[in-house]
Amino acid sequence: MNEYAPQGTGAAGLGDGTRAVRAGLPEAVKNEPPLPGPVFAAHFHLPGDVEGPYAYGRDTNPTWTLLERAIGELEAPGEDVHTIVFASGMAAVSAVLLSQTHSGDTVVLPDDGYQALPLLREQLEAYGIHVRTAPTGDDAQLAALDGARLLWIETPSNPGLDVCDVRRLVDAAHAGRTLVAVDNTLATPLGQRPLELGADFSVASGTKGLTGHGDVLLGYVVCRDPELAARVRRWRKIVGAIPGPMEAWLAHRSLATIQLRAQRQWANALAVAEALTHRTDVSGLRYPGLPTDRSHKTAARQMRGFGSVVSFTLPDRAHAEQFMAALHLVEDATSFGGVRSTAERRGRWGGDAVPEGFIRFSAGAEDTEDLVADVLRALDHAGARD
Ligand SMILES: *Cc1c(COP(=O)(O)O)cnc(C)c1O
């Protein structure tokens, strides 16, 4: 099993679409496929001394190698970064938090982030790690940084879509020797590049907009520092939170279209958000791409695109349920970032501090007119039954 020679498409000068279709591909070899198929191997031939890139399937796999290279090229074009793929976003999140901290350390988390963070908090505290929390908005985490080992940022936050100033938080954190990790799930590397904003880690679920088809669970960590990366890689090895070769290959195949998907989905999200601004039945509308959104200025400074998720609140639970039931083109499902629009009444899960009528809406790649018309028709329908 040879280590694939890179094609070198991480050059900073290329456009996102060009970079995406070629990201991570090996050097072209006559009679070989452009994207080699998944390598299904628990072990690799290993006569004599233990040397070479591939020995055992929990440590390395050629299909991961190509995917890791591809994600690294998108997260940090033209840079030499370390990328480590995981079985899921939570595997990647946990790997950073648990591999970089020890008992007695302090970690700062957002209090409005992904719904599994409170579970992780319990686990960190059980290991003797102190946890402080603060909201994402208004850079409120700044006040909690003193003496911390690691700051965890989620911007835009899920599901509330608040945004914080990554550079400002990074500068304050680094002044106190605090490491910074940014959850980049919602923005995807096309929408935001945390390492360029100074973060030590960009961490994400690849389950959402990165792969975009709702058929793969995946996670990743990207960082520049080889020692920080080695700890994350060691964590993957000891907990074994590895993606299957098939999932890794599907993810790489899906990455080729990320720019096309993102363009359409972001445009659709903005169109839906704009249409909702005219509705009297909608309150609490949030989309960082809306010029009137209170996060827009900060978002526009640090993001290259504003994502596919829009959140808003309908008058009450029944109204929200009627809206959901009346949608034809939008599936009632959790998760987000896929090519088929999805939405859900978030309060049905419990856990997030959201009103009963709160809707998290994820714009897919449908034609804009069709999607906006479906949403407006479902709103009218729900309103008429009140
Ligand atoms: C979904 C999500 C995760 C977890 O990802 P999984 O792939 O479901 O494990 C982490 N962070 C954010 C912001 C998410 O939306």
Side-chain angles (χ1 to χ4, degrees):
M1 192 56 52
N2 58 326
E3 189 173 23
Y4 296 117
Q7 216 178 35
T9 52
L14 295 172
D16 286 339
T18 311
R19 191 177 299 111
V21 297
R22 311 198 69 87
L25 297 186
E27 198 178 353
V29 174
K30 189 171 182 180
N31 303 132
E32 294 291 327
L35 176 63
V39 176
F40 297 108
H43 62 261
F44 300 83
H45 290 302
L46 192 64
D49 292 338
V50 179
E51 56 189 13
Y54 305 110
Y56 187 58
R58 179 163 32 76
D59 300 334
T60 47
N61 174 290
T63 310
W64 305 349
T65 302
L66 297 181
L67 175 62
E68 287 174 342
R69 199 176 282 158
I71 292 171
E73 286 173 16
L74 296 177
E75 282 276 349
E79 283 195 62
D80 200 11
V81 290
H82 304 272
T83 304
I84 303 119
V85 289
F86 284 87
S88 68
M90 279 316 296
V93 171
S94 300
V96 171
L97 281 164
L98 293 164
S99 70
Q100 308 297 329
T101 56
H102 297 97
S103 142
D105 285 345
T106 297
V107 168
V108 179
L109 299 178
D111 65 13
D112 52 353
Y114 186 60
Q115 63 173 355
L117 287 183
L119 295 175
L120 203 43
R121 174 187 188 153
E122 279 175 28
Q123 195 60 52
L124 290 165
E125 288 175 340
Y127 290 150
I129 295 158
H130 307 289
V131 177
R132 296 183 197 137
T133 63
T136 299
D138 300 322
D139 303 337
Q141 287 177 307
L142 278 175
L145 283 182
D146 193 33
R149 164 79 185 150
L150 181 76
L151 165 65
W152 190 268
I153 293 173
E154 189 178 305
T155 180
S157 61
N158 170 22
L161 302 181
D162 253 331
V163 169
C164 59
D165 184 334
V166 177
R167 270 187 200 286
R168 184 172 176 224
L169 283 156
V170 164
D171 287 347
H174 285 175
R177 296 175 168 274
T178 303
L179 293 170
V180 181
V182 176
D183 185 324
N184 206 29
T185 303
L186 203 137
T188 82
L190 258 63
Q192 177 168 270
R193 295 177 186 156
L195 298 193
E196 287 180 4
L197 299 171
D200 301 286
F201 301 94
S202 180
V203 187
S205 169
T207 311
K208 318 285 172 57
L210 186 85
T211 59
H213 293 71
D215 51 12
V216 166
L217 280 141
L218 191 89
Y220 68 84
V221 176
V222 185
C223 69
R224 291 196 181 99
D225 185 300
E227 283 172 31
L228 298 182
R231 280 187 229 154
V232 174
R233 199 169 284 116
R234 178 176 172 279
W235 183 265
R236 181 177 68 181
K237 179 183 171 85
I238 59 180
V239 303
I242 57 168
M246 188 67 201
E247 282 72 16
W249 181 83
L250 268 174
H252 197 166
R253 183 186 194 269
S254 304
L255 267 190
T257 55
I258 187 173
Q259 195 258 4
L260 286 169
R261 288 185 280 110
Q263 268 192 347
R264 173 65 70 85
Q265 291 179 235
W266 297 348
N268 280 354
L270 181 61
V272 167
E274 276 171 347
L276 295 180
T277 59
H278 304 297
R279 302 286 311 197
T280 52
D281 46 356
V282 166
S283 61
L285 174 66
R286 296 302 306 267
Y287 182 63
L290 265 184
T292 50
D293 190 276
R294 72 179 124 93
S295 290
H296 183 69
K297 256 178 77 180
T298 308
R301 254 199 328 269
Q302 67 192 17
M303 300 183 77
R304 306 167 72 243
F306 304 107
S308 59
V309 181
V310 178
S311 64
F312 56 96
T313 301
L314 294 174
D316 54 37
R317 174 178 177 158
H319 198 118
E321 284 172 349
Q322 280 156 11
F323 166 69
M324 289 303 310
L327 290 162
H328 294 324
L329 299 178
V330 182
E331 293 165 0
D332 190 341
T334 195
S335 200
F336 59 84
V339 290
R340 288 172 292 277
S341 289
T342 57
E344 70 172 336
R345 194 182 69 78
R346 192 64 185 172
R348 65 183 178 175
W349 290 88
D352 293 318
V354 294
E356 287 289 345
F358 182 94
I359 302 287
R360 186 180 69 183
F361 184 95
S362 171
E366 298 84 4
D367 288 301
T368 308
E369 306 73 38
D370 293 340
L371 183 59
V372 171
D374 195 47
V375 169
L376 294 179
R377 189 195 43 71
L379 282 173
D380 289 342
H381 181 84
R385 292 171 60 107
D386 262 3

